[in-house]
Amino acid sequence: MPEELENGDYVIIEEKTLWMDYAIEEFVDFLKFKGRYDNSVIIITGDHGEEFQEEGSWFHCSSLNKYQTEVPIIIKWPEWVKDAPAQDNVSHYDVMPSLLNLIGLEPKYYEGLAGQSLFDYPESPRETVLSTVHRGESGIGVCLIGEGRKVKFSFPGPWSTNVPNQLIVCEYSDILDKPLDFRKEIQIGEDAMIQLALIEHVGIPDSRVLE
């Protein structure tokens, strides 16, 4: 927790956390009392994160950093599920396909959904593109995630809603935001791969990813 937070702010955050912990405990105890816990799926997640000045911004909708865009997805699978999925890079989109797969529906009922069943992949093969016009203090407007790496870009024109024709690499890191040296990691052939991925996901025909 940043030192800049006032004591009152910290108390409010702590109280919300404690209340949520209490509510989850009450719910779990109820399921156990009714004899339904072992056969239940319990999913704990959030719709967005909150930043408290870790990188210069407040709350959410002002940056693509991990504090605002990454949330836990904790799933308690039924007792009869063996080899339960345990992945690091998942999405809210994956929840519905996974549940439909779990209850035994044929793949045709969930293969067309935006997400993927977590039971079908030991590790996520997805490539994800995050974008925003609310770039906050960081200036980062696009983030490409794939193969255990993140590449973050800025582009000219603050608050512009137009598709940029140039992207500038700002950060290159592993999935946990540990900085990496892209000059060593990214080869010429991979530059083209990143450009093609961006074109496919966000339609940037003339992007200059690395210069």
Side-chain angles (χ1 to χ4, degrees):
M1 190 71 62
E3 295 180 358
E4 290 82 358
L5 280 179
E6 299 291 338
N7 290 335
D9 297 325
Y10 178 79
V11 169
I12 292 174
I13 297 167
E14 185 177 41
E15 287 178 346
K16 289 182 177 180
T17 303
L18 292 173
W19 182 88
M20 182 60 67
D21 183 71
Y22 167 78
I24 293 172
E25 180 183 25
E26 288 282 292
F27 178 64
V28 168
D29 287 345
F30 174 78
L31 290 177
K32 291 180 177 180
F33 176 74
K34 291 293 185 178
R36 296 184 176 183
Y37 178 79
D38 291 340
N39 198 40
S40 294
V41 179
I42 301 175
I43 301 173
I44 302 173
T45 187
D47 55 344
H48 54 73
E50 296 287 357
E51 181 180 355
F52 298 99
Q53 290 283 297
E54 285 87 351
E55 293 187 0
S57 297
W58 287 101
F59 310 125
H60 59 276
C61 290
S62 62
S63 177
L64 292 180
N65 64 34
K66 64 181 181 180
Y67 305 105
Q68 297 191 32
T69 61
E70 297 181 12
V71 297
I73 299 181
I74 303 170
I75 303 177
K76 196 288 290 185
W77 300 103
E79 191 177 54
W80 46 267
V81 173
K82 306 303 179 184
D83 299 322
Q87 300 183 14
D88 293 329
N89 182 20
V90 300
S91 166
H92 292 114
Y93 287 126
D94 299 331
V95 172
M96 184 57 71
S98 301
L99 293 178
L100 296 179
N101 188 352
L102 177 69
I103 64 176
L105 291 185
E106 297 178 16
K108 66 180 181 181
Y109 291 106
Y110 55 83
E111 285 182 337
L113 299 177
Q116 61 195 19
S117 171
L118 300 179
F119 292 97
D120 291 339
Y121 301 95
E123 295 183 4
S124 175
R126 87 161 26 85
E127 290 181 345
T128 303
V129 171
L130 307 177
S131 63
T132 181
V133 296
H134 308 289
R135 286 174 273 161
E137 296 290 332
S138 70
I140 294 171
V142 176
C143 178
L144 172 64
I145 304 172
E147 298 184 357
R149 299 288 189 268
K150 292 182 182 179
V151 189
K152 298 178 181 179
F153 307 88
S154 66
F155 50 86
W159 299 96
S160 172
T161 57
N162 297 324
V163 176
N165 57 19
Q166 183 183 61
L167 295 175
I168 302 169
V169 176
C170 294
E171 297 179 19
Y172 182 60
S173 67
D174 65 11
I175 200 69
L176 299 178
D177 286 325
K178 178 183 178 181
L180 300 173
D181 186 347
F182 68 83
R183 294 169 297 183
K184 296 179 180 179
E185 298 264 343
I186 299 180
Q187 303 301 320
I188 294 176
E190 292 176 341
D191 296 351
M193 179 192 70
I194 294 175
Q195 287 181 338
L196 289 174
L198 284 167
I199 291 170
E200 176 183 352
H201 285 287
V202 294
I204 304 176
D206 298 314
S207 61
R208 299 291 185 268
V209 180
L210 295 174
E211 298 182 349

